[in-house]
């Protein structure tokens, strides 16, 4: 396949893993990233893993002129849009920055795509658009009720895409709602490299395992879940990356326009304590933990109904929890300071 794809935010955690899968599937790749939460080194590693080269453009998605230039020079037929800010807590402290980056950035991108006649987009949405579960597993028609500015940026962009499609049905949009991405590429060369203090469970586990943190705080053991701790649907980042390739292939097969959302999750929930046991098995290190009060804004538990992705995209996860933890540990062991040094 000699098709060129522009990937905004392609140097980030999910973007870099998706670049690997796209290059392996024969696509040409141009990454458009301002590196506000990533390192260019990730892209060197993508090239090492695949033995293929990609094109780098440093730019901001709010810069329409730069996007148009990148779309033209790459000859892209489709865009995967990862570029965005993703820290839930920070989105409450700096909501304007989040709306500007995530919503305005996507508007500029859509305008540039329209100008350049590129009408196919995969958008990184999130299970966070659903909010408190009215039923589980969440299916794509679950009502929307995001509980923080970050989640609202994702829902706003989804609404923008649905409105754009309603006015012009030549657009092709795949909205992918990720559950909890974890893991790293099996090579141990690329993985998550959080800047500053991490918020998510996996990077915090790693800091405990390597002795940078005394113990893991378990936020709440009195939820209505089997062991009282929070339950999430963890998905290996390579499975997630493969979902993007499937979405592109599905859209390419269509004669007309499309606008459809897909849950990308494993369909299975694991509790924090189940995760602790899996971390211990993968790292061979005891993970001391302390039960703490619930974290504000956390939900008890949720998981995905990913039937649509299976039946329409022909996608399903193939990597289990053990693999998610083993791959994460390999990345951490090989790169104790992430991409630096
Ligand atoms: P990440 O921070 O690792 O990657 C985002 C990339 O976008 C980074 O390389 C960053 O430098 C770039 N970027 C941000 N703003 C930009 C801008 N204005 N212009 C150009 N580049 C910009 O995050 P990730 O975990 O890889 O997430 C990718 C996408 O998936 C995000 O949109 C995120 O909201 C979404 N998502 C992530 C998760 C998760 O838990 N990781 C879950 C659901 C959805
Ligand atoms: C997982 C579980 C915590 C840290 C967030 C965003 C969501 C999505 C993914 C982008 C929960 C518990 C955590 C710790 C703990 N991102 N936990 N101790 O909160 O499900 O989702 O990231 O779209 O929008 O909200 O992920 O990894 O923070 O937490 O006990 O030190 O681990 O309470 O049950 P979360 P997480």
């Amino acid at each position: 396949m000699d098709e060129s794809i522009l990937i905004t935010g392609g140097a980030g955690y999910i973007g870099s893993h998706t670049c690997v899968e796209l290059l392996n599937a024969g696509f040409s790749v141009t990454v458009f990233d301002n590196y506000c939460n990533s390192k260019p080194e990730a892209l060197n590693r993508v090239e090492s893993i695949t033995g293929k080269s990609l094109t780098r453009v440093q730019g901001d998605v709010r810069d329409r002129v730069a996007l148009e230039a990148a779309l033209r020079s790459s000859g892209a037929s489709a865009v995967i849009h990862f570029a965005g800010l993703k820290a839930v807590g920070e989105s409450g402290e700096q909501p304007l920055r989040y709306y500007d980056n995530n919503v305005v950035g996507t508007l500029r991108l859509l305008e540039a795509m329209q100008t350049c006649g590129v009408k196919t987009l995969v958008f990184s949405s999130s299970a966070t658009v659903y909010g408190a579960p009215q039923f589980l597993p969440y299916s794509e028609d679950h009502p929307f009720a995001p509980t923080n500015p970050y989640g609202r940026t994702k829902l706003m962009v989804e609404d923008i895409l649905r409105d754009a499609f309603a006015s012009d049905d030549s657009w092709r949009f795949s909205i992918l709602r990720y559950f909890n991405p974890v893991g790293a590429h099996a090579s141990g060369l690329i993985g998550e490299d959080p800047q500053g203090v991490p918020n998510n469970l996996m990077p915090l586990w790693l800091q405990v395992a390597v002795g940078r943190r005394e113990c893991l705080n378990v936020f709440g053991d009195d939820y209505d879940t089997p062991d009282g701790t929070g339950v999430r649907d963890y998905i290996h980042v390579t499975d997630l990356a493969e979902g993007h390739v499937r979405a592109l292939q599905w859209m390419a097969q269509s004669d007309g326009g499309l606008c459809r959302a897909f849950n990308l999750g494993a369909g299975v929930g694991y509790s924090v304590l189940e995760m602790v046991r899996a971390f211990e098995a993968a790292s061979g290190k005891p993970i001391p933990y302390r039960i703490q009060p619930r974290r504000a804004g956390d939900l008890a538990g949720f998981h995905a109904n990913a039937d649509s992705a299976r039946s329409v995209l022909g996608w399903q996860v193939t990597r289990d929890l053990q693999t998610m933890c083993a791959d994460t540990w390999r990345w951490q062991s090989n790169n104790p300071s992430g991409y630096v040094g």
Side-chain angles (χ1 to χ4, degrees):
M1 187 178 301
D2 186 20
E3 198 182 334
S4 174
I5 312 296
L6 185 78
I7 309 195
T8 75
Y13 172 45
I14 304 169
S16 56
H17 289 79
T18 303
C19 287
V20 168
E21 299 311 314
L22 286 168
L23 289 167
N24 284 341
F27 291 91
S28 300
V29 169
T30 298
V31 169
F32 185 97
D33 202 306
N34 65 1
Y35 305 114
C36 70
N37 197 38
S38 56
K39 304 260 165 33
E41 172 62 13
L43 300 176
N44 300 337
R45 306 277 183 99
V46 167
E47 293 182 327
S48 301
I49 292 168
T50 59
K52 295 180 179 173
S53 59
L54 49 72
T55 304
R56 299 150 175 80
V57 177
Q58 183 164 1
D60 192 295
V61 285
R62 290 161 296 183
D63 181 346
R64 197 174 64 147
V65 174
L67 279 169
E68 286 176 15
L71 284 166
R72 291 211 172 89
S73 64
S74 63
S77 57
V79 176
I80 305 181
H81 182 35
F82 292 107
L85 302 175
K86 64 167 180 175
V88 169
E90 190 182 65
S91 78
E93 292 151 18
Q94 305 172 24
L96 302 188
R97 183 168 159 243
Y98 270 69
Y99 288 114
D100 182 45
N101 201 79
N102 293 6
V103 181
V104 174
T106 307
L107 276 175
R108 294 292 94 84
L109 172 63
L110 290 167
E111 289 160 0
M113 289 175 68
Q114 189 156 39
T115 302
C116 296
V118 179
K119 305 292 287 284
T120 303
L121 177 78
V122 180
F123 173 62
S124 299
S125 188
S126 169
T128 199
V129 297
Y130 297 125
Q134 295 188 12
F135 56 82
L136 285 173
Y138 289 128
S139 52
E140 287 84 357
D141 58 0
H142 187 283
F144 301 126
T147 55
N148 52 68
Y150 165 73
R152 284 188 279 276
T153 69
K154 292 294 175 190
L155 183 55
M156 282 180 190
V157 169
E158 287 203 13
D159 283 336
I160 289 167
L161 298 180
R162 285 185 276 268
D163 285 342
F165 179 72
S167 74
D168 172 358
D169 66 6
S170 69
W171 284 106
R172 295 172 197 207
F173 294 134
S174 287
I175 297 167
L176 304 184
R177 297 187 186 135
Y178 313 153
F179 280 65
N180 285 57
V182 294
H185 190 264
S187 63
L189 283 172
I190 57 172
E192 188 170 13
D193 182 20
Q195 317 289 303
V197 182
N199 300 302
N200 296 117
L201 186 61
M202 276 266 182
L204 287 162
W205 154 49
L206 293 173
Q207 295 199 345
V208 176
V210 300
R212 279 168 64 190
R213 199 171 273 270
E214 214 176 281
C215 75
L216 186 72
N217 291 319
V218 174
F219 295 136
D221 67 348
D222 56 353
Y223 284 110
D224 183 17
T225 60
D227 65 18
T229 65
V231 169
R232 295 291 182 272
D233 184 334
Y234 297 93
I235 173 171
H236 194 295
V237 65
T238 300
D239 281 328
L240 191 57
E242 288 172 357
H244 295 73
V245 179
R246 294 295 173 95
L248 283 177
Q249 291 167 338
W250 172 68
M251 291 193 286
Q253 282 165 12
S254 167
D255 291 333
L258 308 151
C259 180
R260 185 154 176 176
F262 298 97
N263 286 338
L264 295 188
V268 185
Y270 290 104
S271 74
V272 178
L273 293 183
E274 286 177 305
M275 296 302 284
V276 168
R277 286 191 281 277
F279 297 156
E280 289 180 330
S283 61
K285 293 177 187 291
I287 307 297
Y289 66 85
R290 196 166 39 205
I291 304 294
Q292 298 283 14
R294 293 179 179 192
R295 188 171 64 176
D298 268 357
L299 298 170
F302 57 81
H303 59 290
N305 175 335
D307 289 351
S308 296
R310 191 177 306 113
S311 60
V312 177
L313 304 181
W315 171 90
Q316 60 183 13
V317 300
T318 60
R319 294 161 182 87
D320 60 12
L321 181 59
Q322 196 188 352
T323 309
M324 296 181 212
C325 293
D327 289 346
T328 304
W329 183 243
R330 188 177 307 109
W331 152 251
Q332 170 67 33
S333 310
N334 292 352
N335 305 272
S337 309
Y339 290 114
V340 178

